[in-house]
Amino acid sequence: MSRIRLEIRIVPRPGLLDPEGKAIQSGLQSLNYTDIHEVRVGKILLIELDADSTQDAINQATSMCQRLLANPVTEDFLIKLHEDSENSE
Amino acid sequence: MSSPQSRPGDPQITPELVSEHGLSPSEYQKILGILEREPSYTELGVFSAMWSEHCGYKNSKRMLKLLPTKAPWVIQGPGENAGVIDIGDDLALVFKIESHNHPSAVEPYQGAATGVGGILRDIFTMGARPIAVLDSLRFGDLNSGRVRYLFSGVVQGVGDYGNCVGIPNIGGEVYFDKGYEGNPIVNAMCLGLMKKDSLIKGEAEGVGNLLVAVGTATGRDGIHGATFASEELNEDSQSSRPQVQVGDPFTEKLLLEASLELIHSGYITGIQDMGAAGITSSAAEMGGRSGNGVEINIDWVPVREPNMTPYEILLSESQERMLVVVKTGHLKQVQAILNKWELEADEIGCVTDDGLFRVTEENKTVAAIPCLALTEGCPTYEREGKESPEIKNLRSKDLSHLKIKSSGYENIFLDLLGSANISSKRWLYNQYDTTVRTNTVVAPGEADAGVIRLRESNKAIAATTDCNGRYVYLNPRMGAKAAVAEAARNLVCVGALPMAVTNNLNFGNPLKSEIYYQFREAVLGMSEACKLFETPVTGGNVSFYNETSSTPIYPTPVIGMVGIIDDIKHLTRPFFQESGDEILLLGNNTDELGGSEYLYVSEDLVAGEPPIVDLLAERQLQHSVLSMISKGLLQSAHDLSEGGLACALAESAFGNETNPFGVDVVLQDRLEPIPLFFGEAQGRIIVSCKKHSSNQVLQTAKNHGVPCRLIGEVVPASSGFRIAGRTVSVELDIETMSDRFFNAIPDLMNQKNDP
Amino acid sequence: MKVAIITFPGSNCDYDLYKCVQLIGGNPEFLWHRDSSLGKVDAVMLPGGFSYGDYLRAGAIAAMSPIMAAVKKFADHGGPVLGICNGFQVLCEANLLPGALLPNTSLLFASKEVTLSVENNSTIFTDLYESDRSLRMPIAHAEGNYYADEETLEQLEEDGRVMFRYLGPQGKPTNESNPNGSANHIAGIINTKGNVMGMMPHPERAVETILGSVDGLDLFKSLLNHISASKKV
């Protein structure tokens, strides 16, 4: 068992209206960042867990996302190893 | 007494360190006298917090003693976490107003949110369930992007916190004036209801009883928040963001339920929220009130950050925490209640008999100070107060030469209706849940005061917050009287008898003689009015040092007033009900324009003598309106304030926009049109009644010695709005007026904001 | 009618719902989210509020509570379930209703009275309403923007499972009168079996004249009637 840190990125599904993203884009434009095409707002969850292997940790996280962390109707998720995770195996 | 040993790593006490802690050399001398030795660093921190302006009220206490605080219906006056009045049917109303100005200037969302959190805790710590909140806000000019940023942040903070905990917002006020640029005022008032005999105090009773910390773990938030609140703001304040506390309304809701359950369980003897100066103030105050001592073992306090020193733990202002005094042998039952609500309860000390505030770390004493020295022993000062000659000049400015602008009366009227101070605040209160708990009978925007019905009886509670800072600025004593008078008028207009007051005194730096003058005069004015109106002051808050780059805010003594409607069927609203109803004016019009919204909007001027307040006449006015309401004579009642008669008539005509009316009013006064239509003379209320009732209305007014006359009629909206004086008549269509009134703030807020 | 009102940490409209059920002659009881069994109840109601502070997503954590397994089973067996505001969010997260509730497009909390159409008055919750009746009741939410993919929306409309829509002053839905941007101006929906309904507005706040509207009463009375009738059978 090793301590693994995962970074889970939860983002709105493409095509979904993102009013928060639009409001932020508008705010940036008023600061003269006029070349912005799109802004979408999501969240990052940093999960530290003990698992037999990196793959095992990722499998667990996938299941977590499917069951609770992401709403499949409106969100997609992406799991990766966090940079300061101990490397196992 | 046991002396603390020196802690490795603690800085040496030097005069600079003492001064950084906000203590003057003479105050430090006092500390030496009390302890008969030098204080430890931890003790210095404790004194610094407890003797700060915010906790110790050192520059205000002496003046506040002049306020009337007693009446047969007052169960608890100043000195506890909130005031309490008897409202009959074995029920007690608990209420208080508090400020969170400095944090809101630095981080508006969290500053406002945690302000709401703090006042809620002050209420439920007495054993009362919060039933309503009101907010009283002041900002700079809304045309500024920065002001819009502060405004929207504060409103979102107030809303998100109150909505999440599930307490309805029933009213409040917001003012925009350059005088508040850089120093927003965020005052939050809360009302709570309880059975009279359930009142619990914040006292550390019963030697040997346990001190238990309940709620969230302690972090480094807001250390010296109390001291921060006792300083002026400057450019460095922006970089002081880490000092701002972050609130968690979800935890607060759980804490509320758990606290009420604890209080009714019989397992505890005292409870107090940890607000400004956290564990220190709650423990010291509880000890001080009971005459007992408290001992805190710092190692037992649950912390959420590593390596916290006793100094940090004692002064942390982490939110959503309570200090509970648990009867010996009942800790497990208390923990069971807390665990059910997914909260922690940790024993951190006990009640002792030596009167000391003692703190230990790994069995070594780090602080040992008599509790009373921290509370009662805080030095109090009466300062020199001298009126500023500039303001004196401003007050005596001759306004009679002002010429009417070429744009004409109609445009002036529309500008007033569309001014940020007069126009509809819907943008704001549509962000507040106003109906949760299904007791709100009058929500914001629906009448002159918010109203909550009582399920237990036919009664209802009404509440309002009021203060016109410009009046107080120009004439502090008169302006303070005006604030109390306006609050009382607002209550009687919904049919409530004014009962008691909580006040939030927002001022600049009291060490400046012109500010202390404002403070002293305002307290005297408030005192005079509260005495005459029989509305004792049951407590409140003082917020000093509201200045940026040495420019102080307008002195703003916010009055939070509560009243009782003896039978909900007497509830009266300010909106006209039917065409053909007659409109009557109670009180007299005058030529006074000083401090008016008209002057600010049309001339960009805050000057002149504010309108005179005749307290006796106000009292008679209050009684006459209540009498008319109890006889069922009135269709509507609305008090006059900013924008004067024309704006008040317009507000009564618009209603909530879905069913507007028109107005046809003719005035015979020998007054210039501007003061006649837009002057803000005090002591006036407009009422409407069915034709067949107007004689009775006139007679009732006469019986109370109140001037009253018929001025016009309610007409269909299609007939428009007309107000005519002897020489000038202003006519507009309702739709144009209503459009300006309801859309002014939304239009402004849809522009960009710059943080 | 025995009604279980499920309370989660952070629910704050539970008391209002309790009083409302009592008002119409029902027999309400609070059930804590950690209870694993409903006991014998005739209906289950999920109240409004901020369960778990709306953390992660509104209703997401509450949907995983121990009691929800029992609620799902109850619903599968045809038991009536009503979710109001946060309750609606929980039902969607628990997959007892399709779709999801997103933040209001204004990004602001919306607290005001709305006018609703009754789109389907043949359900156990709505058959006391005449089809042309419009209802006035308050909303108070920051995440009431109903969303479902095109296919789901089409199905909902085809099946007549949209229960309420936000109306404008002319009696028709409009973008200006839609307080949160919800798809097709949807304010409430029902499941295919017709026993699980979710809605964002608060009918339990519209049951006394003194509060401004009594349009919510018939919703609860409809349910009461159905339960009483089914017991007589």
Side-chain angles (χ1 to χ4, degrees), chain A residues 16 43 67-69 71, chain C residues 56-57 60 64 93 105 147:
Chain A
L16 206 72
K43 52 183 146 223
R67 295 181 68 191
L68 175 65
L69 302 181
N71 183 329
Chain C
L56 190 64
R57 297 180 304 280
M64 305 285 138
E93 285 286 341
T105 43
Y147 169 85

Side-chain angles (χ1 to χ4, degrees), chain B residues 248 342 430 432 435 437 453, chain C residues 16 34 55 111 205 208:
Chain B
D248 178 356
E342 319 213 338
N430 276 356
Y432 298 159
T435 50
R437 298 206 71 86
R453 62 95 180 253
Chain C
D16 298 344
R34 290 223 196 107
Y55 294 145
S111 166
R205 296 189 195 180
E208 288 180 74

